[in-house]
């Protein structure tokens, strides 16, 4: 009887291990950015599913949806990547993110129609 | 016989002539009429004998129909005169053409040489017709008109007579003539109108599309973050929100030049506030 329980527990442990490691070691600020990334990904998937299942009309509005600069912000403010972004402080990364977001939103609203 | 060409004064000459005496005299010339003196024709057979020779009565032209055989020669002569002069002074018009045309059919133009004294002669040898004579299949009757063009006299078209020539061979169609045939009508097929989904499905997907916000807030609520805007960060956040509001305003109302102008001004303040806010973190 014991071996099946051990087999089930062995299948789940890599995901649990990954989750526990992420939850314990990732700073809260990065988790905030990750939450936004999950939100953007979910929005994009839903918009794409709508285009595939229902209609692409209006297509320009669909094109304006899925673009975001959060990934670069997350990689630049991650403390473990400090060596790779020596010349870019987290404040500088956020300022770049803010400027890029404003410009991107401007173009997105142009696409909305 | 003198035939008077109807008078016709160009409108522009009338408008300006009254203000300029020199122009007035020029207008007087333009106003002058051309006449034909002694127009006559003769139809000769192949041996030169006269089949028919008469003076043309242009007042009743073109009532007469001349019939020329395959070996006949038609000769036409007339003198172009200035109808205003008392001594029937001969005039050489700038252009003189004979127009041979069929109603609803082809036409041909043959230039006529008029001497400086106004005398003109035209000869049509039916055996060797000039290229300006149109084809006369099925023995159609040609209308013959004299066209006189001049810069100093009123230009005009004078009907002379009708002419029946022997039937000619049909004109060989030009190899590129088919290009000018009417093409089949073009029926445009336009893209069908975009159909919007039923309102029920749209509402369902609106709810589904807004659901990630619920996910976002639930994830953020589980994180140990404390949002407490300070005096250093509050202006920066407010200006970022103002930027988003400017973009929404552009979406509904503003033009590009306006949003770029306002954005440039706002960017200066936002940059300053951002520098102060990020330096305090």
């Amino acid at each position: 009887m014991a071996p099946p329980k051990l087999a089930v527990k062995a299948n789940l442990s890599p995901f649990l291990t990954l989750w526990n490691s992420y939850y314990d070691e990732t700073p809260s600020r990065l988790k905030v950015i990750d939450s936004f990334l999950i939100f953007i990904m979910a929005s994009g998937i839903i918009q794409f599913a709508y285009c595939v299942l229902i209609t692409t009309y209006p297509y320009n509005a669909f094109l304006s949806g899925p673009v975001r600069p959060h990934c670069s912000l997350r990689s630049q403010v991650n403390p473990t990547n400090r060596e790779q972004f020596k010349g870019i402080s987290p404040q500088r990364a956020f300022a770049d993110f803010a400027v890029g977001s404003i410009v991107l939103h401007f173009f997105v609203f142009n696409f909305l129609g | 016989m003198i035939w008077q060409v109807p008078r016709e004064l160009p409108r522009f000459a009338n408008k300006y002539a009254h203000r300029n005496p020199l122009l007035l005299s020029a207008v007087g010339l333009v106003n002058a009429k051309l006449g034909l003196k002694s127009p006559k024709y003769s139809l000769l057979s192949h041996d030169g004998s006269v089949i028919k020779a008469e003076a043309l009565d242009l007042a009743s032209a073109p009532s007469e129909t001349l019939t020329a055989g395959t070996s006949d020669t038609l000769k036409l002569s007339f003198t172009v005169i200035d109808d205003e002069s008392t001594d029937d002074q001969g005039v050489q018009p700038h252009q003189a053409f004979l127009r041979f045309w069929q109603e609803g059919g082809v036409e041909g133009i043959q230039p006529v040489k008029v001497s400086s004294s106004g005398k003109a002669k035209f000869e049509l040898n039916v055996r060797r017709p000039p290229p300006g004579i149109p084809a006369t299949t099925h023995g159609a009757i040609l209308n013959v008109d004299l066209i006189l063009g001049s810069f100093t006299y009123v230009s005009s078209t004078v009907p002379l007579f009708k002419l029946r020539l022997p039937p000619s061979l049909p004109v060989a169609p030009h190899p590129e003539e088919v290009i000018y045939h009417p093409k089949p009508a073009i029926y445009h097929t336009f893209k069908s109108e975009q159909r919007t989904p039923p309102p029920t499905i749209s509402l369902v997907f609106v709810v589904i599309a807004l659901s990630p916000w619920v996910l976002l807030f639930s994830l953020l609520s589980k994180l140990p973050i404390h949002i407490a805007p300070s005096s250093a960060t509050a202006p920066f956040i407010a200006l970022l929100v103002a930027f988003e509001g400017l973009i929404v305003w552009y979406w509904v109302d503003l033009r590009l030049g306006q949003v770029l102008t306002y954005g440039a001004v706002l960017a200066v303040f936002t940059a300053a506030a951002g520098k102060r806010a990020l330096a305090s973190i």
Side-chain angles (χ1 to χ4, degrees):
Chain A
M1 299 301 286
K5 285 185 181 176
L6 284 174
V8 171
K9 191 174 180 184
N11 285 335
L12 290 176
S13 63
F15 299 99
L16 278 179
T17 307
L18 175 65
W19 172 253
N20 290 331
S21 171
Y22 169 81
Y23 196 83
D24 295 335
E25 296 177 19
T26 306
S28 299
R29 291 182 178 180
L30 290 184
K31 288 179 185 173
V32 171
I33 298 173
D34 292 339
S35 302
F36 272 102
L37 287 173
I38 293 170
F39 160 71
I40 290 162
M41 192 172 65
S43 294
I45 290 172
I46 292 169
Q47 289 176 39
F48 184 73
Y50 178 82
C51 282
V52 170
L53 297 174
I54 309 298
T55 178
T56 58
Y57 176 77
Y59 194 60
N60 52 316
F62 163 69
L63 291 178
S64 69
V67 188
R68 290 290 185 273
H70 293 72
C71 297
S72 60
L73 173 66
R74 198 211 186 272
S75 62
Q76 288 176 357
V77 300
N78 192 353
T80 57
N81 295 340
R82 195 58 59 84
E83 288 298 314
Q84 295 176 13
F85 298 101
K86 282 182 182 175
I88 302 176
S89 63
Q91 290 81 4
R92 164 74 187 277
F94 183 78
D96 292 343
F97 165 74
V99 171
S101 291
I102 289 170
V103 173
L104 187 68
H105 287 181
F106 174 71
F107 284 107
V108 163
F109 274 87
N110 273 292
F111 258 96
L112 280 179
Chain B
M1 181 178 186
I2 299 172
W3 187 79
Q4 295 180 354
V5 175
R7 172 178 174 166
E8 192 177 314
L9 180 64
R11 249 182 270 168
F12 74 90
N14 242 343
K15 183 180 175 183
Y16 294 104
H18 299 300
R19 303 179 190 173
N20 192 328
L22 287 178
L23 192 55
L24 191 61
S25 59
V27 166
L29 278 176
V30 175
N31 207 12
K33 296 174 286 188
L34 285 173
L36 288 184
K37 180 183 173 186
S38 308
K40 56 188 176 189
Y41 72 90
S42 57
L43 201 58
L44 307 175
S45 65
H46 66 281
D47 56 0
S49 58
V50 177
I51 301 172
K52 191 176 183 183
E54 285 183 8
L56 283 171
D57 181 12
L58 297 179
S60 59
S63 59
E64 193 170 357
T65 300
L66 307 179
T67 302
T70 52
S71 57
D72 295 345
T73 300
L74 173 67
K75 290 187 177 181
L76 175 66
S77 65
F78 54 86
T79 304
V80 183
I81 59 169
D82 180 355
D83 193 50
E84 301 290 333
S85 65
T86 54
D87 57 352
D88 294 341
Q89 179 187 356
V91 170
Q92 185 183 33
H94 291 85
Q95 289 180 332
F97 295 96
L98 282 174
R99 179 184 175 221
F100 300 84
W101 60 280
Q102 300 175 7
E103 289 187 16
V106 298
E107 69 176 78
I109 292 286
Q110 192 63 32
V112 177
K113 189 173 180 182
V114 181
S115 65
S116 56
S117 59
K119 292 184 179 176
K121 285 185 181 177
F122 174 75
E123 186 173 316
L124 171 60
N125 188 343
V126 183
R127 280 187 186 174
R128 288 187 294 275
I133 305 297
T136 52
T137 53
H138 310 296
I141 297 176
L142 296 172
N143 296 286
V144 182
D145 298 342
L146 175 66
I147 301 174
L148 298 173
S150 175
F151 296 115
T152 52
Y153 293 89
V154 178
S155 300
S156 64
T157 301
V158 182
L160 295 177
F161 49 81
K162 295 183 181 179
L163 179 64
R164 180 184 286 116
L165 293 176
S168 63
L169 291 172
V171 177
H174 193 278
E176 293 181 0
E177 188 253 349
V178 291
I179 297 174
Y180 300 94
H181 287 183
K183 295 280 194 294
I186 298 174
Y187 296 97
H188 293 284
T189 303
F190 294 99
K191 191 177 174 183
S192 55
E193 289 280 341
Q194 288 276 4
R195 293 185 301 173
T196 55
T200 312
I201 295 179
S202 295
L203 281 175
V204 167
F205 270 91
V206 164
V207 173
I208 296 173
L210 292 176
S211 61
W213 285 96
V214 176
L215 175 64
L216 174 66
F217 286 125
S218 65
L219 289 173
L220 291 177
S221 65
K222 289 184 172 23
L223 293 173
I225 52 174
H226 303 284
I227 299 173
S230 65
S231 59
T233 59
F236 179 49
I237 295 171
L239 285 166
L240 286 177
V241 173
F243 244 114
E244 294 295 321
L246 176 66
I247 293 171
V248 174
W249 188 17
Y250 163 67
W251 182 39
V252 297
D253 187 31
L254 291 181
R255 296 193 172 272
L256 183 63
Q258 292 170 307
V259 71
L260 291 178
T261 306
Y262 301 155
V265 173
L266 204 55
V268 172
F269 294 103
T270 308
K275 193 172 180 182
R276 182 163 168 261
L278 292 174
S280 67
I281 296 174

